[in-house]
Amino acid sequence: MKTSRQIAIETIACELRGLESLREAFAGPLGDAFARAVDVISDAPGRVIVTGVGKSGHIARKIAATLASTGKPAHFVHPSDASHGDLGMIRENDVVFALSWSGESSELSDIVAHSRRFNVSLIVSTGNANSTLAKAADVLLALPQCEEACSDLMAPTTSTTMQLALGDALVTALVNKTNFSGEDFHALHPGGRLGARLLRVRALMHTGHEIPLLHENATLSDAIVRMTSGRFGITGVVDAEEKLVGSITDGDLRRAFSQGFHDRPAKGVMGRAPRITVPDEFAHRALARMNADSITSLFVVEDSRVIGILHIHDLLRAGLV
C-alpha cells in the first residue's frame, strides 16, 4: 500500500504532466485560438460572463474573480440560474466564456442558445474538440487530453488544474494587452497586506516642514538642534541650490564627538552618500533597501531636491512590516 507521501508526489507529477502538455499545445492551434480569445475579450465593450458546472464551475468562479480584479468587468453566472431568469444579465456587447471538460454539459444549453440568438461572442474551453459545446463556439480553446491524478474514480484533478492555468494565462495576456498598471491594480485592491504592498513612497512620505534639512554652511550645533527637533534621527544637508549633498546621522555625531566637542561646519561631518528613494518607488521595495542597509529613513528626492522623508515607522503603520 502506498504512503500518503507517495500519493502526494504522484499526484503532483501527474498534474505537472498535464500542465506540460498544455504548454506544448500552445505551439499549435491552441496558441492561435488563445490569441483570438484575448482579442475578443479585450475588444468587447461589455463584461465577460464566465460559466460552468461542477468542478469546472468552481474554476469559472475563480477566473471571473481574477478578471474583475485586473480591470475587466466579469461575472460568474451559474447555468441553472441562467435558465431561471439570469439570462437577462447577458447583453449583446458581452462575451460568454464557458468551461466544460466533456463539452456535453446539458446545463449549459440555455446559455449557449442565448448567446447564439443574440450574437454574443462565445468562447469555449473543453477537453473534447468534437463535443456539442465545442461546435457552437466562436473561439474554441481545445485542451489536450490528460490523465486524472485520481484515475480510479476519474475525479477532476489534472483537468481542473489545466483549466485554472489556462484562465491565469488568459488574465495575464489581457493585463499585458491592456497595459493594466500597478496603480490600476492598487485602486481595486486598497485593503489588507496586498494593498499595502502596492503603495508608493509618495503616499507615505513626510513633506514640508517635517523634512529635517539644513544648509551645508550651517554649524554642527545647528545640526544637533535640527535633528533633535524632529523624530527621524537624521538631517539632510543641501547646497545653495537646495540639492541634497549629504546627511548627518546619530552615528556621524558620535564620531564627531569622539575626540571632544567643538563646533564646526556641518559639511565637514556629514556623510556624502545620503540614502534616497523616489516618490514613485513601491514602498515595499524601499523597505527592502532599508532592511538590507540597516537604516530607518530615506530621503525622497526629485531632480536632486528633497521633497520628502520616509521612515520605517510609516511602513509599519501601513502594514508592510
Side-chain angles (χ1 to χ4, degrees), residues 230-293:
R231 54 189 179 85
F232 301 106
I234 191 173
T235 184
V237 181
V238 297
D239 62 15
E241 296 180 347
E242 301 296 326
K243 293 184 177 181
L244 185 68
V245 294
S247 63
I248 299 176
T249 66
D250 292 335
D252 294 320
L253 291 180
R254 286 193 295 271
R255 285 187 288 274
F257 296 159
S258 61
Q259 297 179 345
F261 175 79
H262 61 278
D263 217 355
R264 69 192 83 171
K267 62 183 177 182
V269 175
M270 70 181 187
R272 296 184 178 275
R275 308 300 175 85
I276 63 172
T277 182
V278 293
D280 288 327
E281 182 175 30
F282 281 117
H284 73 88
R285 292 179 181 168
L287 173 62
R289 292 196 290 112
M290 285 186 188
N291 288 333
D293 296 337

Side-chain angles (χ1 to χ4, degrees), residues 11-27 30 101 143-148 157-169:
T11 298
I12 293 171
C14 183
E15 298 199 3
L16 284 172
R17 289 193 295 271
L19 289 174
E20 180 62 25
S21 66
L22 177 62
R23 186 184 69 83
E24 293 173 353
F26 273 94
L30 177 59
W101 188 254
L143 305 186
Q145 291 298 301
C146 67
E147 175 192 1
E148 300 289 9
T157 49
T158 307
S159 58
T160 49
T161 298
M162 292 167 65
Q163 287 177 318
L164 185 62
L166 177 71
D168 288 342

Side-chain angles (χ1 to χ4, degrees), residues 121-149:
S121 296
L122 175 63
I123 300 171
V124 168
S125 170
T126 180
N128 184 359
N130 296 314
S131 63
T132 304
L133 186 61
K135 292 175 181 178
D138 295 308
V139 181
L140 172 61
L141 302 176
L143 305 186
Q145 291 298 301
C146 67
E147 175 192 1
E148 300 289 9

